Amino acid sequence: MIADHSSSLSPKADSLLESCWTPQALRAHPGERKIKTRLPVDDTPPEKTLPDVPGPNLAPEFACSIRSVKPDNGEKLVALTFDLCEKANEVTGYDGELIDTLRLEGVHATFYAGGKWMRSHPERTMQLMADPLFELGNHAWTHGNLRVLRGQDVEEQIQWTQAQYEILRAELLNRSCAASVSPNHLRAIPSSLATFRFPYGTCNAESLTQVARAGLYPIQWNIVTGDPAKAQTADLIVKEVLNRVRPGSIVVAHANGRGRHTAEALKTLIPALRKRGYRFVTVSELLRSGEVVTAESCYEQRPGDNRRYDRLFGRGTQ
């Protein structure tokens, strides 16, 4: 079982969220899912390039791909995760309907946000950060392919994202709306990101080591919704998850406008999983629940099944 490096203080539901945003400001806005592509390349760094808070020292065995967890006593836990990807030459969207559904149903979830995505969507990032239902994870700065990138390029993808999170966390906590919120509640917002998701689901031994050295648990999945596929439907997403789910599963989907019918699928999937006895948890909660299931490499469903991405996307950042 992984040690708890997060705060032990749990805020009352939505206290900071309610203090800083109205219900209308939190809800989905028309046009937010739209993705702007073929933009001028933006490879500028964040205001600071290194985080102030160093990551914990992870044991060497965590330089691996964590695909799921075996919860103690077979407890029916499942982690829904949603990627918020953005390359250097695009600005992607925000699936407000999806987030609205999670909030309405009281579902814990984890969002893997790129650093540039956080900079492009500061208000939405801070809303997710402030919501006790959710947690954020590191999804690299500009969605770089960390199986192709090397050395300093990998470090920048990791550390710039850690730094951007700290920038927005500091901005949130310094807002006047946070002044009336209990200090205990504010401290419950993690000071840094604790987990990492490899863009394209690609890695190698070097990048796995660099992620672990940064104090981040490398998180993959054991259930692929396939929601970016043009032919994907809500029914097929629901069927895939229900056919493959088991205690400790991690589900990958998208909330940046590239998830097709994901929000629609959730409206069926959430009650169906609850009917089967499953409880929704964040990835960090899942990691603390039992024994991690790992692999030496990163892949979608079978070792080697994402090798084509190196040819298709190269460095992956644009």
Side-chain angles (χ1 to χ4, degrees), residues 34-110:
K34 185 176 181 180
I35 297 173
K36 301 174 184 177
T37 60
R38 300 180 182 178
L39 301 177
V41 172
D42 178 5
D43 55 9
T44 58
E47 295 173 9
K48 62 179 183 180
T49 57
L50 289 174
D52 297 324
V53 179
N57 293 322
L58 299 188
E61 60 263 30
F62 290 114
C64 60
S65 164
I66 299 175
R67 301 195 61 83
S68 63
V69 174
K70 294 180 180 178
D72 295 339
N73 303 316
E75 187 176 2
K76 286 188 171 182
L77 304 177
V78 61
L80 300 182
T81 70
F82 303 92
D83 292 355
L84 296 168
C85 328
E86 184 169 295
K87 298 179 186 178
N89 61 344
E90 65 181 3
V91 173
T92 59
Y94 173 86
D95 194 337
E97 182 185 358
L98 184 155
I99 283 85
D100 288 351
T101 298
L102 294 174
R103 286 186 172 129
L104 180 65
E105 296 290 342
V107 170
H108 288 238
T110 300

Side-chain angles (χ1 to χ4, degrees), residues 74-280:
E75 187 176 2
K76 286 188 171 182
L77 304 177
V78 61
L80 300 182
T81 70
F82 303 92
D83 292 355
L84 296 168
C85 328
E86 184 169 295
K87 298 179 186 178
N89 61 344
E90 65 181 3
V91 173
T92 59
Y94 173 86
D95 194 337
E97 182 185 358
L98 184 155
I99 283 85
D100 288 351
T101 298
L102 294 174
R103 286 186 172 129
L104 180 65
E105 296 290 342
V107 170
H108 288 238
T110 300
F111 293 87
Y112 281 98
K116 181 175 171 291
W117 188 94
M118 289 192 280
R119 186 171 67 182
S120 299
H121 304 77
E123 204 69 15
R124 290 309 199 184
T125 299
M126 287 185 282
Q127 290 171 3
L128 295 173
M129 194 183 297
D131 195 322
L133 285 172
F134 305 145
E135 73 171 350
L136 291 173
N138 186 324
H139 197 33
W141 181 252
T142 48
H143 209 253
N145 181 351
L146 301 198
R147 190 163 60 200
V148 171
L149 298 177
R150 293 289 187 272
Q152 184 61 31
D153 288 336
V154 173
E155 287 298 313
E156 289 175 356
Q157 289 286 319
I158 298 168
Q159 300 295 355
W160 288 9
T161 305
Q162 293 295 103
Q164 183 63 38
Y165 173 87
E166 288 186 356
I167 290 167
L168 292 177
R169 181 180 185 273
E171 178 181 335
L172 174 60
L173 298 189
N174 285 329
R175 287 188 172 184
S176 59
C177 59
S180 61
V181 178
S182 163
N184 287 353
H185 292 177
L186 300 181
R187 283 194 294 270
I189 299 176
S191 57
S192 62
L193 302 173
T195 65
F196 183 91
R197 168 158 290 160
F198 284 92
Y200 308 102
T202 59
C203 70
N204 56 23
E206 178 185 350
S207 57
L208 280 167
T209 297
Q210 286 177 268
V211 167
R213 191 186 302 132
L216 298 165
Y217 293 101
I219 304 299
Q220 279 208 280
W221 53 74
N222 69 325
I223 299 177
V224 180
T225 62
D227 59 350
K230 291 183 179 180
Q232 190 59 292
T233 67
D235 287 344
L236 288 174
I237 291 172
V238 171
K239 182 178 179 180
E240 179 70 8
V241 175
L242 293 181
N243 283 345
R244 292 183 175 271
V245 70
R246 64 176 185 265
S249 283
I250 299 173
V251 181
V252 60
H254 293 75
N256 65 337
R258 288 203 163 100
R260 298 174 186 270
H261 306 289
T262 315
E264 179 186 352
L266 285 178
K267 294 173 183 177
T268 300
L269 189 58
I270 290 169
L273 286 169
R274 281 178 168 155
K275 187 175 181 179
R276 292 189 181 188
Y278 279 91
R279 181 164 64 89
F280 300 99

Side-chain angles (χ1 to χ4, degrees), residues 7-13 15 132 184-185 187-188 285 288:
S7 171
S8 61
L9 300 167
S10 297
K12 293 181 179 178
S15 57
N184 287 353
H185 292 177
R187 283 194 294 270
E285 291 169 331
R288 297 193 294 269

